[in-house]
Amino acid sequence: FLLQVLAASTVMGLALWLSADRLDWIALHAHPWQRIAFALAWVLAAAVLYFAVLHLCGLRLRQFLRRTPSV
């Protein structure tokens, strides 16, 4: 489990690091709504990438939805 999460986190972090220079955040200071939209898009893309890598590593989200029997 730890290796799966580490792999997904590494890929996500690498993708965000490589994409950090693609957009001039300082120039977008005059356009706050556009800046917010870009930030939300990057966060959404990072989340999709993270869960896609987890899926490729064999971790299924359904495993977390199993309910434990009540005692």
Side-chain angles (χ1 to χ4, degrees):
F1 175 75
L2 181 63
L3 290 176
Q4 292 168 325
V5 171
L6 183 63
S9 298
T10 301
V11 170
M12 180 185 64
L14 183 63
L16 288 173
W17 179 66
L18 290 173
S19 65
D21 293 332
R22 302 272 187 236
L23 197 60
D24 187 6
W25 292 101
I26 296 172
L28 286 174
H29 181 69
H31 307 284
W33 288 109
Q34 193 175 18
R35 195 175 183 176
I36 291 169
F38 279 123
L40 287 174
W42 283 117
V43 169
L44 179 63
V48 167
L49 182 62
Y50 178 80
F51 287 111
V53 172
L54 281 179
H55 184 75
L56 290 173
C57 288
L59 187 69
R60 304 293 181 252
L61 292 179
R62 188 175 297 162
Q63 293 171 320
F64 292 106
L65 298 177
R66 291 185 187 156
R67 296 177 188 245
T68 56
S70 36
V71 178

